[in-house]
Amino acid sequence: MSKIKAIIIDDEERARRVLKNMLNEFCKDVEVIDSSSNVPDGVLAINNLKPDVVFLDIEMPNYSGFELLGFFRDVDFEIVFVTAYSQYAIQAFEVSAVDYLLKPVQVEQLENAIQKVKDKINISSMQDRLDTLKVNLSGSQIQKIAVPVSDGLVFVKTEDISHINADGSYSKIYLADGTDMLVSKKLKYFEEMLEGKGNFYRVHRSHLVNLSFVRKYNRHQGQVELENDHKVNVSREGKSAFEDTLAEFHG
């Protein structure tokens, strides 16, 4: 494989220099072909040099890193955000399958990000992932998740998910239209992504439920009946907390 061509866009000269040196030393298959201190110069460099990946700071004067995206009709390069941004935004990046580095950048973080870039090149449309990122950042709640499948990513609206069940090292996602998806991620992955960010609640060690789909709750049986006729058990030790959450949700 030929070297991955990279451009760095960051208003801090020292940050650009440090990241370039780290890439040169620890990521031998990456070639930094240019760096810019602002978005307009970065856009020109991207158009002229056609990089594979852009390392993009978010908080810059005049234009933010996010605004760079508006200069392109189609985004045909990978983006790794380099940021000290809020935790919510970082979670949005993860949900959208957009890579990020936290400042100060650590070697292991950088190496992992480069591996993710390699994995994603030619697998999934960067434009789709960025569209999802924009949607997620435009509201207070995550609205879509990127679900990894064998040939790339499937983008699913969270409002279409009725529940997610643990299946060993996998999870099964049940959708409103009656279909389901088996995904090679543990339930904990989806719990951390979704719980507290909308209508999702982990009622059992094996079940994550969208409260919007709850049709009936049987307190005596400790069981939830969903709009798609599925029945999900509620853990005995978690019943009280779930009942409080359910009452508040429908209150």
Side-chain angles (χ1 to χ4, degrees), residues 108-170:
E108 185 177 357
Q109 278 187 319
L110 183 60
E111 291 174 335
N112 288 341
I114 292 301
Q115 185 57 54
K116 289 178 183 178
V117 169
K118 292 179 186 176
D119 292 342
K120 285 169 188 164
I121 289 176
N122 297 326
I123 291 180
S124 175
S125 164
M126 187 68 193
Q127 188 64 51
D128 286 346
R129 284 182 267 135
L130 288 172
D131 288 344
T132 298
L133 171 62
K134 290 177 186 177
V135 169
N136 285 338
L137 290 179
S138 67
S140 61
Q141 305 296 347
I142 289 171
Q143 299 175 41
K144 277 187 178 182
I145 61 172
V147 178
V149 293
S150 59
D151 57 350
L153 296 166
V154 174
F155 294 91
V156 179
K157 292 181 180 179
T158 56
E159 65 184 26
D160 291 338
I161 300 172
S162 71
H163 61 296
I164 306 175
N165 288 353
D167 191 350
S169 295
Y170 291 77

Side-chain angles (χ1 to χ4, degrees), residues 11 17 22 24 33 44 73 77 88 111 119 156 177 180 212 215 221 224:
D11 63 307
R17 185 178 68 251
M22 291 179 71
N24 288 340
I33 57 175
L44 289 174
R73 183 185 297 268
F77 49 89
Y88 170 74
E111 291 174 335
D119 292 342
V156 179
D177 63 4
D180 58 66
S212 297
R215 175 193 293 161
Q221 294 182 0
V224 169

Side-chain angles (χ1 to χ4, degrees), residues 159-245:
E159 65 184 26
D160 291 338
I161 300 172
S162 71
H163 61 296
I164 306 175
N165 288 353
D167 191 350
S169 295
Y170 291 77
S171 295
K172 184 170 280 191
I173 301 174
Y174 293 86
L175 303 176
D177 63 4
T179 60
D180 58 66
M181 306 167 60
L182 189 63
V183 182
S184 58
K185 292 284 187 183
K186 291 186 176 182
L187 189 62
K188 184 72 173 176
Y189 171 85
F190 293 104
E191 179 188 21
E192 292 177 349
M193 182 187 293
L194 293 169
E195 190 174 15
K197 301 179 181 66
N199 306 330
F200 289 86
Y201 190 89
R202 190 160 182 173
V203 299
H204 188 277
R205 61 184 176 84
S206 300
H207 308 299
L208 186 66
V209 167
N210 185 342
L211 299 178
S212 297
F213 279 80
V214 174
R215 175 193 293 161
K216 180 181 177 182
Y217 169 60
N218 189 313
R219 179 182 289 110
H220 301 296
Q221 294 182 0
Q223 194 173 71
V224 169
E225 182 180 315
L226 302 174
E227 294 289 349
N228 55 9
D229 295 326
H230 284 262
K231 294 182 179 179
V232 174
N233 291 328
V234 178
S235 68
R236 187 173 303 173
E237 61 275 16
K239 280 177 62 176
S240 179
F242 171 66
E243 289 172 8
D244 291 343
T245 299

Side-chain angles (χ1 to χ4, degrees), residues 15-106:
R16 297 195 303 275
R17 185 178 68 251
V18 168
L19 182 54
K20 181 177 181 178
N21 290 341
M22 291 179 71
L23 286 165
N24 288 340
E25 183 172 355
F26 299 106
C27 304
K28 301 296 186 183
D29 45 1
V30 177
E31 178 186 3
V32 179
I33 57 175
D34 201 5
S35 64
S36 301
S37 62
N38 57 72
V39 167
D41 288 348
V43 170
L44 289 174
I46 292 168
N47 283 329
N48 291 331
L49 300 173
K50 307 297 182 188
D52 299 305
V53 59
V54 173
F55 290 88
L56 181 60
D57 187 21
I58 291 175
E59 295 178 308
M60 293 184 284
N62 300 321
Y63 293 96
S64 74
F66 290 133
E67 289 176 291
L68 175 134
L69 309 177
F71 286 88
F72 297 93
R73 183 185 297 268
D74 296 307
V75 178
D76 57 359
F77 49 89
E78 295 295 323
I79 289 178
V80 176
F81 286 106
V82 185
T83 180
Y85 219 59
S86 70
Q87 184 64 32
Y88 170 74
I90 289 170
Q91 290 167 341
F93 302 158
E94 292 175 330
V95 169
S96 303
V98 175
D99 299 314
Y100 66 92
L101 297 170
L102 282 177
K103 291 181 178 181
V105 176
Q106 304 297 312

